[in-house]
Amino acid sequence: MPSALDTLIGRIPDERLRADIRRAVSDLRKVTDFGLVFENHIPETIRLPHHSIRRETKVTFRDLTDQSMFEVISVNKPMATIRRIRHQDGSALSLQEVEEVENQVTSLSSLVALADFGDAIYPGMRHLGSIQRGGDKPAHVVIKGENHHVLEALQFTHAGKIDCIYIDPPYNNRSKEWKYNNDYVDKQDVYKHSKWLAMMQRRLLLAKQLLNPDRSALIVTIDENEFLQLGLLLEQIFRDAEIQMVTTVISAKGAVRPGKFSRVEEHIFFVTQGQAKISRWTHKMLEDGSSDDETTDGDNDDSGNEPIAIDDKPRLIEWLGLRRREPSSRRGTRPNQFYPIFVNADTGFIHSVGDAVNDDVDRQSVQPPEGTVALWPLKPDGTEMIWGLTPDVLRHNWKQGYVRINNWNPAKRSGTVKYLPSGTIDEIRQGTITVVGRAKDGSVEGFHAPASETLVPPKRVWNMPSHNAETGGTKMLSQLIPNRRFDYPKSLYAVEDTLRFVIGDQPDAIVLDFFAGSGTTGHAVARLNHEDGGRRRSITVTNNEVSERDFQMLRSDGYRPGDPEWEALGIFDYVTRPRITAAVTGRTPEGAAISGEYRFGNKCLLGDGFQENFEFFELTYLDADQIEVARAFSGIAPLLWLRAGGRGPIIGECCDVSGRRKPFAWTEHYGVLFNTDQWRSFVSRVPDTATTVYIVTDSITALSQIARELPGHLDLVRLYERYLTTFSLKGALT
C-alpha cells in the first residue's frame, strides 16, 4: 500500500512529470531529519457488516473479491448504484480514471459499509451479557470493536479518567499477525515500519486524552523489531512524561535464529505522568545474587533508594465470613454452594460438612447428625444465600484448621462460620504468617510476623520464572479454554507484576487495554483485587478478527465477514470472552470445573474464580439524525452508564412497556430526565450516592434552571448536545 504522498503523485496525469517528481521525492527521503520520520499513510478503514447502506455511504464488496472502495450513488432496493473512488491498494483514482469511471449496479446484499478513520462516527454499544459475582463492585467492561473507534467512544465516557493503560500491540515481526487496511502486512513490505507507526500514532494520540494528567501510566510491551521506533514515538507524543524501558526474559529457552543471538527477551516501556511513580516491591525482579543491590544510580538526589521496612508490628490473622452477602449470590446462582455445616450443639465446634443440596430440595428435610445443629447460609431475614466455598474445598480447609465457628450461642444455637481466604493460607505456607498454636476446635492461631523483608526498587532487567510465556501464558490458557488456540499469550503473572508497579497502591484504579488479545489484562486486574480486596476496574477492547489461517479456511469454504460461521472464530467470541468468563466463574466454556491452582503469587484455586462483575458489549455505529430526534437512546445508554461509573443497572430504555416515554429514571448512581416538565419530581428523588445526571433538552434556560436545584457535585450532561459535540459533526459514515 502506497503512502499518502505516493497516492497524490499517482494522480498527476503527465507521465514524465510524474516520474521526475517521484525521483525527486526519492532523493528527499534519503535526507534524514532528527527524530522519528515516517510516512503518513492513507487512513485505515473498517468494515461494518451490520450497518445500513444508503446514499453516499462508502462500501466495498462483502465477498472480498474486490476490495476497492465505492460510494453509493443511489439505492433502489434490493439494488444499489455505486461508483469506484479508491483502488484495492488504497490509492485514489487519477484524474483520468475519475473521468472514465462508470457506475455499477449491484445488489445491496453483496455490499458492506466502510468507515475511514477520521470520518465522523457516532458510537453506541449493544449489550452482550454479564457475569455478576461481585456484589456492589463496579463492573469491568469488555468491548468488541475496532480499537480506534472504541478509543473515540471513550472520549465521551473516560476522558482524563484512566489511571493506567497496558497494551501489547502487534510486534510487526510476522510471527504476530496484524493487518493494515484489512490486509496482513508482509515482512517484505517496504512500508512495514511506517504502516505500523501510523497505526500506533493514531491510537496513542487518542489514548493520551484518556489518561489522568495528574497521575497515570502508559505501559507498552514490544520486541526488537519496533522498540527503537516506539521509543521515539512515545518521546514525541508524551513530551512531559517520564519514559523508562525494562527488558524482561519471557523464555529462557530462547528463539534460535541462524546467524543471530537467540532472543529470550522483550521490552516494556513505562510512561508515567504527573505524580505517578514506580512503586517498590519485595522482588527486585532480577535474582542475580549481587551484594550491592541497593546502590544509587549516581543522580545524587533525594529519590530515596534506601530499602523501606514493610511493617514492624505483628497483626493478628483476619478471619472472613463464609456466607456470601452480595444480592447476586442467592441460592441457585452457583451449583454446589448451598449445603449444611453441622456444628456440635454444646461446644460450637464443627462436626462435619454436609453435601450440596439441590435447588428443589427443602433445607428443612435435611436431618443433622445427633447432637448437632445445621448452619445454613441464611441472611437475618431468612433469605437463602450461598457459601463462599464448595463442600470439598471447605472440608479440606477445615481439616487444616482454616475454618471455625465464631460467637457460638448454645441457647440460640447460632454462630458465624469464619474461614481463612486463600491468600492468608498462602502466607501461612510461605511463613510470612506465624502460627503459634491451635484453638480447642483445631483452628489455627497466629499473626503476621514483623517483616524481615524490605521493599526495594525493581531493576530494569527482569528475570522471573513466573513470567515465562509458556507456563504463565499458553498453559494457563489451555486450562481455562481447552482446545482453543491463541498464539503468544502473555504470562498472567508478568502482566500482574507489571501493573502492580503503577497501580498496586490504587485500589480503585481504572485500567484500559485496547490491544486485549486473549484478555490477560482483565484477568490480572481481577487477581490484584483478589489479593488485596481492591475494587479496580478493567476496560478490555478487542476486535473480532479471525487468524490468518482461519481467514484462508473460511474463504475457501465460501464464508464472508459477518457470517455467523466467520464471526464464531473471531478473537472476541472464540478466545477473549470465553477466557475471561472461565477465569471469573472457574468453569470452562463447556461447563467443567477448572482444576489446579495459580502457581505464583496468591495460590488460590482456578476453580474458585473471582468475586467480580463483568459486562460485555459490542461497539455499534449510530446515525446522527436518529440521535438528534432521540430515537437511538438504547444505543448510547451503555455509554451513559459507563460515564457514570459503570456501577449497578443500566437505564436501557426511554419508554415503558406500553411505548410511552418515561418522564425520568434513576439508579443509585445516575439518572436521566427525559421530560423536563417533570424536573421537580426528578430533582426530589436524587439518591445520595448519585454522581451523574443526564437531561434531555435543547433549552439552555431549562438546563440552567434544573442545574440550580441539583447538588453541585453532580456531573451534569445535556443530551444529546454533549454526546454529539464530543464527536465530529461532519456526518456519520459518509
Side-chain angles (χ1 to χ4, degrees), residues 164-168 219 221 490 495 498-499 512-514 521:
C164 175
I165 294 177
Y166 176 100
I167 54 174
D168 179 35
I219 303 170
T221 61
K490 277 279 184 290
V495 177
T498 304
L499 292 174
L512 168 64
D513 182 351
F514 55 87
T521 302

Side-chain angles (χ1 to χ4, degrees), residues 339-604:
Y339 54 89
I341 298 173
F342 300 116
V343 179
N344 185 294
D346 297 325
T347 65
F349 299 167
I350 296 176
H351 171 275
S352 57
V353 177
D355 294 325
V357 176
N358 292 335
D359 295 339
D360 58 352
V361 174
D362 185 348
R363 74 173 191 274
Q364 303 293 346
S365 66
V366 177
Q367 295 298 315
E370 185 176 353
T372 69
V373 175
L375 294 186
W376 298 87
L378 306 179
K379 292 176 69 173
D381 64 3
T383 302
E384 294 180 333
M385 305 297 284
I386 59 175
W387 297 119
L389 300 173
T390 59
D392 288 343
V393 174
L394 189 69
R395 290 188 190 106
H396 176 269
N397 289 1
W398 167 51
K399 291 177 181 178
Q400 301 297 315
Y402 304 146
V403 185
R404 71 185 190 188
I405 306 297
N406 275 16
N407 303 320
W408 179 250
N409 187 321
K412 295 183 178 181
R413 295 191 168 190
S414 65
T416 304
V417 184
K418 295 283 189 175
Y419 80 110
L420 295 182
S422 57
T424 303
I425 295 173
D426 195 45
E427 289 186 83
I428 291 174
R429 292 171 179 165
Q430 293 174 349
T432 55
I433 288 180
T434 301
V435 175
V436 296
R438 292 181 179 264
K440 292 181 179 180
D441 64 353
S443 60
V444 298
E445 294 180 331
F447 56 86
H448 296 261
S452 58
E453 292 183 289
T454 55
L455 294 178
V456 295
K459 304 281 189 179
R460 293 201 308 186
V461 176
W462 297 357
N463 188 6
M464 302 283 288
S466 58
H467 292 193
N468 182 278
E470 181 180 0
T471 57
T474 303
K475 290 183 179 179
M476 170 70 69
L477 211 58
S478 67
Q479 290 178 278
L480 298 171
I481 49 174
N483 304 315
R484 300 197 184 200
R485 180 176 174 179
F486 179 80
D487 294 334
Y488 312 108
K490 277 279 184 290
S491 166
L492 171 67
Y493 312 108
V495 177
E496 184 181 327
D497 287 348
T498 304
L499 292 174
R500 183 183 288 108
F501 287 123
V502 294
I503 61 165
D505 60 349
Q506 292 180 271
D508 296 306
I510 303 175
V511 180
L512 168 64
D513 182 351
F514 55 87
F515 284 103
S518 67
T520 308
T521 302
H523 190 172
V525 173
R527 280 242 323 159
L528 286 174
N529 285 345
H530 183 74
E531 290 178 0
D532 63 11
R535 296 166 66 89
R536 301 174 186 87
R537 289 166 281 167
S538 62
I539 302 174
T540 297
V541 181
T542 182
N543 58 31
N544 202 40
E545 286 184 353
V546 300
S547 66
E548 186 174 12
R549 57 182 175 274
D550 289 334
F551 180 93
Q552 301 300 335
M553 177 194 71
L554 289 163
R555 284 198 65 182
S556 65
D557 290 343
Y559 296 116
R560 305 173 299 183
D563 292 341
E565 295 82 359
W566 187 292
E567 299 301 316
L569 293 180
I571 184 173
F572 175 90
D573 288 321
Y574 193 65
V575 177
T576 315
R577 182 177 180 180
R579 183 258 177 83
I580 289 176
T581 301
V584 178
T585 64
R587 294 191 169 271
T588 68
E590 293 71 35
I594 302 172
S595 60
E597 66 177 8
Y598 291 98
R599 294 183 55 190
F600 299 94
N602 191 330
K603 297 183 181 180
C604 52

